[in-house]
Structure formats: C-alpha cells, structure tokens
Amino acid sequence: MNKLIFASIFYAVALPTQAMPIEGLTPYGLYRKELIKTGWKPSPVASKTNPLEWPELGCGRTFCTAVFRSPMGKKTLELSVWMQVGLDATEYYVAPAINFDDNP
C-alpha cells in the first residue's frame, strides 16, 4: 500500500505535465518583451507563486495570469499564461484568452 501511495505522489508531482495544449502558442517571454516595447507596463501581483523574473505573473499549478497597465495607465490588460512543467525547466506560453479593462 505504501508503495502505491508513493508511486501516485511521484507521478503527480515529479513527472512533467502535458495538461495544456501549447503547440502554436507564443512563448510568454517574447510576448512580454513586445508588450513592454509598445509601452505596456508589468503590474506586479502579490503572489508567492510567481516566477522571480516576471513579478506580474500570479500562478497556480498549470495556469498563470499576467497583468499589465497601458502606457497612460487607463487600461488593464490581463493575459492567460499556460505553464509547461518539465523535469529540467518550466516554460510559459500566452494562451488564447485576453481581457481588457477600461476601469482599473
């Protein structure tokens, strides 16, 4: 019984997940650079689960939300970001869901 529990935990935690369809999606780092070039500003979120290099990401197990402010600060842009967790690295991709808010 203990071996079965250990095996279940190992497969759930240690092995890569293939939960999100990432084929054809833009890597988040490239998309982020383009947003910043056009004047959008990352808006840091209070989250213990965000990657250190991207403070605007709040992440769960396989899904993140990125928040940006418009150049004039009057709009908020929220991006859905999917995570591809591997044994060596975690990759992030912009998902096909974007939300604009005129009243930040």
Side-chain angles (χ1 to χ4, degrees):
M1 182 69 160
N2 286 341
K3 289 181 183 178
L4 181 60
I5 292 171
F6 175 76
S8 297
I9 291 171
F10 177 77
Y11 285 111
V13 175
L15 293 180
T17 60
Q18 297 290 333
M20 300 295 180
I22 60 168
E23 189 173 316
L25 298 180
T26 302
Y28 176 70
L30 296 175
Y31 198 88
R32 181 183 192 271
K33 284 179 188 177
E34 291 301 316
L35 281 174
I36 292 171
K37 271 192 210 177
T38 60
W40 288 87
K41 297 171 183 73
S43 184
V45 295
S47 171
K48 294 180 181 178
T49 59
N50 63 333
L52 295 176
E53 69 271 23
W54 298 322
E56 70 278 5
L57 281 182
C59 299
R61 185 176 164 113
T62 58
F63 180 81
C64 303
T65 301
V67 181
F68 286 83
R69 301 287 256 175
S70 66
M72 300 303 284
K74 295 186 180 193
K75 292 184 185 276
T76 301
L77 170 66
E78 294 179 7
L79 301 171
S80 297
V81 178
W82 290 346
M83 295 169 35
Q84 182 71 24
V85 180
L87 291 176
D88 296 330
T90 300
E91 299 173 351
Y92 299 85
Y93 297 89
V94 178
I98 294 174
N99 183 40
F100 282 101
D101 186 3
D102 287 333
N103 302 313

